Amino acid sequence: MKIVIGGDVVPRTEGEKRFIAQDEGTFGDVAALMRGADRCFVNLECALTHSENAIPKFGPNLKAHPLCADLLKKVGVTDVLLSNNHTFDFGIEGLVETVENLKRVGLNYTGIGENDTDSRKPQFIEQDGKRIAIINVCEHEYTYALPNRMGANPFDPFLTMQDIRTAKKSADHVIVVYHGAKEFSRYPSPRVRNLCHEMAHNGAGVILLQHSHCIGCYEQYEDCHILYGQGNFHFCGYLMTEGWNNGLLVELSIDDDIDIKFHPISIGESGITLAKGEEYHSVMELFERCSDDLKTSRWLLGWKEFCKTQEEYYMGLLEGIGREADDRKRQLFAHCLDCEAHTDVWREMFPSWNLTNK
């Protein structure tokens, strides 16, 4: 069985126009890889809705035209991952419309549910005598399901491990797609690396981290393939920060074991292609160098250096909080406490005395 998995898809600006026009050329030569797989997954990091009722949040509310679902189907996408921090950007109305449009074109989806328990259901794929479980989770940023509200499957350090163990009892392999970790960091935090190792101990054979908007690093831990940062897939013309315009399409060849292959993607103003020539080599050289850092303590130094670049932003949050702070400032602080990736940076910035006590 061959499965390919792409990172973040958000049809925008000129790219969205090509989606609406059903222009398959916006996926360039990448579409051949997508169609050549038995199953093709992408992370749909927006609502497919006409709704204008954006939820209150910090950061952008992302949506695209419902007809974008049609092009995803045409270029070979078979399954959509919905556990991310934008799937609920237009509330229940937007999420329901998104699901309706996926169903309309015959796309499978996973990572959401009617409540926080229902959202935990894995997706199972059976082919060539193998049964594969897909578990899609996200960190706590606005979209996660509640006991009495639909939404995305929230990562839980206990329940998610339980879900992996349970899935492994009836599946040959378990693939976890984790939407989280700090944006724009090429290295995992110590928490993220530890939790990925623990997911491997509990039965995961592949763990892919999305959300970072840049390619990170890779390791094979025991029998588990772990990619700390897949980068974008089709997310054109947005922030254009360093690393934004590249991602990895992951190809999994599955039998008794799993072989993994990475295809670097080049992201332009209105479409994507496979990276070639100098771009291919520069992307892969950086990826391999960061991956080699995981074999020494250099990855941890890289994480600490990244956190230093974030200090001004987080110190600004602290300066704005007090008894007289307005509700918006308090909500931003509350959000940073709620989200695991933000607390990773907090802990790096404010180490306990216990770390130096003798």
Side-chain angles (χ1 to χ4, degrees), residues 4-7 9 39-48 68-73 76-84 87 95 98-99 101-103 105-112 123 125 134 136 177 210:
V4 296
I5 303 175
V9 173
R39 301 294 280 262
C40 174
F41 287 77
V42 297
N43 171 56
L44 181 63
E45 196 164 11
C46 65
L48 300 181
C68 293
D70 300 63
L71 185 63
L72 289 176
K73 179 72 172 181
V77 174
T78 59
D79 302 82
V80 173
L81 302 161
L82 291 177
S83 189
N84 59 61
T87 195
L95 182 53
T98 300
V99 169
N101 280 289
L102 297 176
K103 289 181 177 179
V105 299
L107 286 172
N108 305 300
Y109 61 90
T110 189
I112 61 166
Q123 178 182 359
I125 300 170
I134 311 293
N136 185 203
V177 182
Q210 301 177 341

Side-chain angles (χ1 to χ4, degrees), residues 9 20 39 84 104 109 134 144 149 167 183 240 275 301-302:
V9 173
I20 295 171
R39 301 294 280 262
N84 59 61
R104 175 178 57 81
Y109 61 90
I134 311 293
Y144 57 94
R149 193 200 68 197
E183 290 177 302
M240 301 307 210
L301 295 176

